[in-house]
Amino acid sequence: MKFIWLFLFLPFSSLADAGFNIQRGKAPCYAVFTGINKLTGFGFYKISVNDRDRGKLLTDSAYRLKENDTLKIYYKEGRRYWQGPIKIIMLNKSTGQFVDSIILIADGNNLAINFSGFDNTKPKYTITKSKAYYPYSLYASEDIDEAAAKRNKYILLAMSVTGFLILGFMIYKKRNNTVTKTA
Amino acid sequence: MSLVLLISGIFIIKGIFLWIFYSKEGWRPLLIGLITAIACYPLMVVLYHDTDIDFWLVLVLVMVFDIFMYNLLLKKNIVKSIIVSFFLNIFAIIYFLFGNG
């Protein structure tokens, strides 16, 4: 009976999964498209597959990609975090048929999609990944680029290590003082 | 939330709480509040944004860590350390989540 008060915490345990793990800001991820100008016979369209536009098909308002276009594939909008995925579909302009598609998933990486030519009726492309960094800032008005984000992350970790070392030193000093007084 | 704003806010919360509960220890509670803020919270920012670690677990670990620090560095009173650590870290984590989203 004396442990009955523990049941008071049960309603709070239901918050555990809905609490800290949702709406965590992650590194914004981008997909950059190059080489589109080489494939003049093809059109490239972006479709977002997410909670809002699930199953949305190509319409007249679908976004057409241009050379060096940069798309966000993981980003924040209000208090929602979109992971995509984003689907790129390729249209053969002469036949009017869709010939291929790519699904882009961020997974913490920036993607560079380079279209290098075409093979039979399908465009050839390569996808290279580079790690995306969360824009950690040291002060409010700081301009954050990728190099600054990476540097700031290491500064945060170094500060933590320094703090733990100082605490360790303070504990050591207190124990030494206690031993000296006892002696 | 910028690092300066985070550390300032956590220091104010921790320093004030510790100073109220450990008023006989002089300026030491403020120093301990500042050092524990610098040790724990920058690491928590990185864990929050770069990993998927459960933050309830992180909160419990920070509370336990603070209990040991207050008991060792301020005053040997485990019950007082538990009470202070619990309430102090609840307010601190609310501030942390408010700023980091």
Side-chain angles (χ1 to χ4, degrees):
Chain A
M1 273 304 285
K2 61 182 176 180
F3 293 112
I4 196 109
W5 60 273
L6 283 173
F7 286 101
L8 287 172
F9 289 98
L10 271 175
F12 294 101
S13 68
S14 67
L15 293 173
D17 288 331
F20 297 131
N21 276 323
I22 59 169
Q23 298 183 349
R24 275 208 219 181
K26 300 288 184 188
C29 299
Y30 298 91
V32 180
F33 299 87
T34 53
I36 288 178
N37 285 347
K38 293 177 196 167
L39 304 171
T40 51
F42 294 90
F44 301 87
Y45 297 88
K46 173 204 129 184
I47 295 178
S48 290
V49 181
N50 53 40
D51 289 346
R52 285 186 311 180
D53 306 319
R54 193 175 294 280
K56 183 178 175 180
L57 299 174
L58 182 66
T59 65
D60 289 337
S61 60
Y63 181 76
R64 183 168 175 181
L65 292 175
K66 298 176 274 298
E67 178 74 8
N68 289 322
D69 250 342
T70 302
L71 299 180
K72 274 184 180 173
I73 48 176
Y74 185 94
Y75 56 97
K76 183 180 175 184
E77 196 174 272
R79 287 193 64 78
R80 294 293 302 274
Y81 292 89
W82 301 106
Q83 283 202 42
I86 287 178
K87 195 171 181 179
I88 307 296
I89 53 178
M90 300 169 218
L91 172 74
N92 186 322
K93 285 191 223 173
S94 56
T95 61
Q97 300 220 326
F98 292 105
V99 295
D100 202 359
S101 65
I102 316 170
I103 294 183
L104 302 175
I105 298 171
D107 236 359
N109 294 309
N110 290 320
L111 305 176
I113 299 101
N114 181 38
F115 293 96
S116 51
F118 60 91
D119 182 18
N120 289 331
T121 56
K122 287 188 183 179
K124 280 198 310 185
Y125 57 88
T126 52
I127 301 178
T128 50
K129 295 182 182 181
S130 60
K131 187 168 166 49
Y133 287 92
Y134 183 83
Y136 299 106
S137 63
L138 299 181
Y139 51 90
S141 54
E142 190 179 10
D143 285 325
I144 308 291
D145 57 10
E146 200 173 299
K150 198 175 171 182
R151 181 199 67 216
N152 289 346
K153 182 180 171 181
Y154 291 132
I155 289 174
L156 286 172
L157 293 173
M159 277 189 75
S160 268
V161 169
T162 307
F164 285 121
L165 287 174
I166 293 172
L167 285 170
F169 176 72
M170 288 172 78
I171 293 169
Y172 172 76
K173 202 174 159 201
K174 181 129 190 185
R175 290 204 165 200
N176 265 2
N177 283 347
T178 312
V179 167
T180 310
K181 278 182 188 170
T182 312
Chain B
M1 176 185 261
S2 68
L3 178 67
V4 168
L5 200 60
L6 174 71
I7 297 295
S8 308
I10 300 293
F11 168 58
I12 288 168
I13 293 169
K14 282 197 159 187
I16 290 172
F17 249 94
L18 288 174
W19 205 40
I20 291 169
F21 282 92
Y22 293 98
S23 50
K24 290 179 184 172
E25 305 295 321
W27 54 267
R28 281 181 69 84
L30 288 170
L31 179 66
I32 302 298
L34 177 64
I35 303 298
T36 51
I38 289 172
C40 295
Y41 280 84
L43 178 62
M44 284 169 68
V45 169
V46 175
L47 287 175
Y48 188 76
H49 292 296
D50 269 358
T51 69
D52 289 320
I53 192 169
D54 189 344
F55 248 61
W56 285 107
L57 176 65
V58 171
L59 176 61
V60 168
L61 288 174
V62 169
M63 282 184 183
V64 170
F65 176 77
D66 278 356
I67 288 167
F68 277 110
M69 287 299 120
Y70 304 155
N71 210 44
L72 282 170
L73 295 172
L74 289 174
K75 192 177 178 184
K76 263 194 171 336
N77 185 339
I78 193 76
V79 174
K80 193 174 185 178
S81 302
I82 290 170
I83 294 168
V84 171
S85 173
F86 178 77
F87 285 107
L88 186 153
N89 280 297
I90 290 290
F91 286 118
I93 202 77
I94 290 171
Y95 176 75
F96 174 88
L97 291 174
F98 181 74
N100 282 283

